[in-house]
Structure formats: structure tokens, C-alpha cells
Amino acid sequence: MRQRVKSVVTGIVQGIGFRPFVFNLARELELSGFVQNTSNGVTIEVEGESERVSMFFERIRHNRPSMAVVTSLDWESITPSGETRFQIRKSASGAERNTLISPDIAVCDECLAELFNPANRRYRYPFINCTNCGPRYTIINDIPYDRPHTSMHDFQMCPQCLDEYNDPTNRRFHAQPTACAVCGPQVRLLTADRKMRRDGDPIAETIRLIEQGAIACIKGLGGFHLAVHAENNHAIKRLRHLKHREEKPFAVMARDVEHVRKLACVSEDELKLLTSPARPIVLLTRKSADSLADQVAPRNPYLGVMLPYTPLHHLLLQHEQSAWVMTSANISDEPIAIDNDDALHRLGKIADYFLVHDLRIYERIDDSIVRSVGDNQQLVRRSRGYVPAPILMQQSMPAILACGAELKNTVCLTKGNRAFLSQHIGDLKNRESYQFYQHTINHLQRILDIHPEIIAYDMHPNYLSSRYALEQDIGIRKIPVQHHHAHIMSCMAEHHLDGPVIGLAFDGTGYGTDGNIWGGEALVVDGAKFERVAHLEYMPMPGGDLAIREPWRMALSYLYYSFGNDIFDMPSSFWNCTDEQQRRICLSMIQKNFNSPLTSSLGRLFDGVASLLRICQHASYEGQPAIMLEMIMENSEKYIPYKFEWKRKEDCYIIQLRSILNGVIQDILARQKAGTISARFHETIIHLFCELCIQLKSDTGLNRVVMSGGVFQNVCLATGLRDALEQREFTVFTQQYVPSNDGGIALGQAAIAAAIES
Ligand code: ZN
Ligand code: ZN
Ligand code: FE
């Protein structure tokens, strides 16, 4: 029987080879009709034998292009028209306003095969791409997604490329960034004083120089990388010194999966993450006998590894026997360099050579970082390969701009039921990062065609993101959001939960409604509303933010709380971390209540314990003390938790720290191993919050626990607490697609603003 079906497909279905796929499929099945880009996605009409029509939709469901994300596929039968051929129709007007822009995608297998095929006209051409792969978000400056709105606008297609571009049966049909060695971008190798190296192939030359120990600055997809040989301790040390990066682990790029397995253990789930089209950095457990230099990730059992994702990476690493350190090209917290001149200017004192090219990057984007935890993935940094794909929300929302937090900042824009979380922007206190912040907000508003009616921002009065919000037009409604409320709502938004739920928000710093610094909180969250039902008791943070970088200050605060003025009788082993003078100043700050804000932060408690155990007295990167505390932990047996207790004050439980700290200190005095103490401490926190949830459940009847906040990047804590709660029959939710750290705050802010508005 002859049948005609009309179908509307929404999702990421434009600019990723969906129409040629449909076209070829229809031809193969001898169906007539058309495919067309519209404002909602793609409209398809097919006509033919009804069996073939069903086969057609079956194949769309199962064999569609790897980059396509189909959010809905509706269809209805309509009257056959007797049409005889299938065609790709011109885009409907306004087609692009509502469609999604694809993230940047790793070079596909077909392009890769062509790259290494001497008979192919793009043999060894470092910018080979097609509708299934290549740059997208990083090269778009405006919509619609057409070549003139991308940085490929600088290059005019040669006749051969143009033929492919216009041929609906070709893999490069309407592939906006398509190019070849005749017409497209080229690489060049420069010395730090901007002289061109003319001897030979710039790629082969770069490989040779890196093998000799040079630091090369390589222009990639979303910015420059600084690259060094991962077995050359001296070169990596030099890079650390020049980049002002003391101990924070570097990620490496390895040629292929086989090579990754030599460096780290790779599970099935981790393999999927490593080879996914997003090609993120995956945090893996290091093999103890790997060949990497110590300086890659000092004192760290984990290793961040990624596979090559651009054709240039493949050419560079093709024959490499070693991995390369590939780290964002910046100095400490600045944004990653994207422009040739900027890179040469800012990094001329770090890199010896610059492998540059002439394809402009419009939007910078760092590598994403992900890990596999139990059955879930955990995004530590959501950037390249993921942004700007939306997070789908349960309900339609007004147009909202959520401004994020301060560290690890991201912003979020909403449209309908889509929330667009930006790439990692960084620490806004840095002037260049703040410029990048403003640029990204404007850029996203333009390419997503969103004009916010509401601005949501963190309650912290001194965050630059809050100030930015308050500086915007007075006509726009502005909604301040409490930081930990946002953490919990971020996780709820991912899981389409309305509330009420028990929310455990564990992090370092967040401004509380009482003006204190929160971070060890149990909240009951119900959409727009939250209630603080439990928290760690307040402790002074002598020196304010300085206590974050110098964990010994927190240790001193806890010791003073535990022993008062008897603190001077403590054995000297507690004291060798700092000099007498500094300690006295710090102590008098606590005693006089001078520059010592109060905090209920669990992150600070981890810092303090790390310092008491003398594992980390100075944090050279955010979260280092807690990470080191987790890493030294023994887990060979069941450890008995320390005693803990809470007191009820009005409608809130105050978790007392005295007995926990006493337990830790007694163990230190009894010369227990640091690894044992760390294990007992972790066990204590898990038991404590599991018991607390049981108490809260009996008070409120709530059975769902939502966990978010940067402290949950501690895998032992996250999985331990999840298991404990599930054993007590709670339903537990953690973040998977959005970071649990402050990189996820903007999504929570947007969700809360939407809930307040509805
Ligand atoms: Zn391709
Ligand atoms: Zn060409
Ligand atoms: Fe936070």
C-alpha cells in the first residue's frame, strides 16, 4: 500500500549531516518526498510502499548520524501526492532561530581514514572535516549557521570543495567548515620571537622539537595548548615554573586506546567516555609502573587522559611512543589563549615554539573533564564537546540569564524547556576572565537568539557575577539566589525533580542568608523555596579567604576550639607547619574576632583535617587539601567512625565538631597512621549524614536525597554516602551531566528563577 508520512524531528539535527543522511536513506529505499530545515528542527515527508516507510523511520531511529541528538520525532499520515523524487528543500525562512548549534566534535572515522590515505586529496591535511565532525561552536559568530557566519568565511572554497558542498549525496554536503589543502587554513611553525621556521614540514618539525624537550604552544580547536613530552621531567618542571602551576596535575594526550592502557586502568565505561565524540579528558586510575615523568601529576593516583580529537592531533601523535602533556595555554588562572598574536604575546616567555594556523577561533573553550563513578559519569568541567548542547528541563521557562558564581564560573541561558549552560569561564576575579565572561554572555545571547527577561544571580554581594547582574538594565527582573539552594536545584533540574527533597550541599564557600559562609548544609528544597534544616557548627576562618589557601589556619581554628588557651601545651608536632610569629597573629585574630568570618563549610573541615595530618599546609590549587586527604586514605578494612552528635536549635540541627575533632586529635597523639585517620574521618562523615537523613526523614517524611556541591568530587565520600543512604532505602540523586562544583550553579539559579516566576 502506498503511504505518505509527515514527520517533525527536533533536537540537534542541523549542521551535522542529518539532511544528507535522510536524503540518501530515502533514495536507497526508493521513497519520494523531501527533507527541510525549519525553525523547530527538520521536517520530513516521505512517500512510498508502507513497509519501506516504516523501515525508513526505523533506520532514522537507529542509524542516524552520531552527532544528531533527537529530542522528539512525531509523525502523522497524510494524503499521498504521487511525487516521484526525493529532494532536499531550501530551508524555511526563520529556520535557524530555534535550532540548536552543535558542539565541536572529534574528527570522525571516515575523515581519519582519508587523512591517512595517500591517494586521498586531503591526505595529511590537518583541517579535514565533514558534516559528521569538526569545529562548530568555536567558529560560529552569528546565526544562521552558514559559512559567512563562521570563521571559515576567511577561506573561499576551491571548485572541488564547492562541488562536494553542493552534492546532496556527499558527506560534505553543506559542511560549513569544509576545506582542503588548496583552499583552507594552513599550519605554520614560529619561534618565540615570531620567526618562521622554514625547514621542512611544520608538523614533523614540532614532533622533533618536543622530543628534544621543547615546550610547544599548539593552536587547537578551542584555544592553544602548551605541549611537552610526558616523559621529560625537566621540560615539565620548566613548564610548571613558567606557567606558575606548582602541583596541579597535568592532563596528557595519548595516541590511542592501546597506549592509554599502558598508563592507566580503563573500564568499559571509561572507554566509552574516552572515545565519545566529545573526547573529554577522562580521570583514570594510574598504573603504578607507567613511564610518565613524576612531574605530570605529582603525588596523585589519578591521571587525566584524552585521545587526539583534531586531525592535527592525530598527525602529531601518530607515531608517538609517549604521551604528551597538553595543558591549556595560559598563565595560572587567565583564560586560554585563542588568537595567534595574543598567544605569542602572553606565552612567548613560556613556549619555545608556536604551531599556529590561520583559522580564527571565535569562542574559546577548554577541554572537558569527566570521570566514571560507579554506574554514573561525573562531569568535573563541562566545556568542549558538550557546550552548547542544552540540558532539557521539565517545563518551559521564561528567557532567563543566570550569572553563576565566582570560581569555576559558567553562565546559563534558557529558552523554552532548554537550558544552555556555557563553557567553563574560570575565576572572575581575574580581569581577563571577567572580560571573557561578558563576551560569552553576549555571544551566547546572539547565537541562541535569547533576550533575557529575568536575571538570576548569587546572593554574595561581592561576587563580580552578582555585580554584573545588578549593573544590567533596570527593566529586567533580578532574582538573588542562595548558593546552596542553587547547587541542589541544579541536580534536581537534571533529574526533573520538583521537590520537596532533602538536599545535602557540601562545598567550600557559599554566601548564606545570615551573612555567614555556608558549605556543610542540609536543606529541604521545594523548587523556589528552601529551608535550612541542619548544618555544621560555625567556626572562625582566620584571615578569611587566606584560610582557604593556607589550611593550617583552619587547623589552628579547630585546635583553639577544642583546647582553648591550653592550645599552647599541645605537643610541638602539631606546630611545625608554620612559624611561631604567624601562628600567634592568626590565633589573636580568632580570639579578637578580627577578620575571621564564620563558616559551616565541610570543605574547610576537610582542609583542617588535612593540615592536622600534615598532608597539606598550603593549597596550590583549589581543593588540593581535600584531594590529598582522600588520596592517602587506606581502605583495606571497615573503619570505626569517630563519635558525632548534633544539637537542635529552633528548627535546625547544629552538627557539633567537638567529638569528631577530638577523635582525630587522639588518633594523631596515639601515632595512628594518617591513612587510617583519613579513613576513619571519611567514615565519620558518611555515618553522620546518613544518620542525619534518617532523622530528617522522620521529621519530614521525605525519602529523596539530592547531593551536590564541590566536595562530592570526593569519590569515596560520594559513593560511600550514596551506598549508605540506599541501604537505608533512600532514593539518591547526584549530578551527571552538569558539574556538582560551582560550574553547575548557573543551571540551579535558572531553575530557581523559573520556579519563582511560575
Ligand atoms: Zn568527518
Ligand atoms: Zn578545497
Ligand atoms: Fe559551591
Side-chain angles (χ1 to χ4, degrees), residues 422-434:
S422 77
Q423 71 270 41
H424 169 80
I425 293 169
D427 180 357
L428 297 189
K429 283 193 290 295
N430 180 295
R431 194 169 52 93
E432 284 79 14
S433 299
Y434 187 64

Side-chain angles (χ1 to χ4, degrees), residues 107-108 110-111 129-133 171-172:
V107 57
C108 73
E110 282 169 287
C111 284
N129 69 79
C130 72
T131 44
N132 297 319
C133 73
R171 205 168 88 248
R172 297 195 167 89

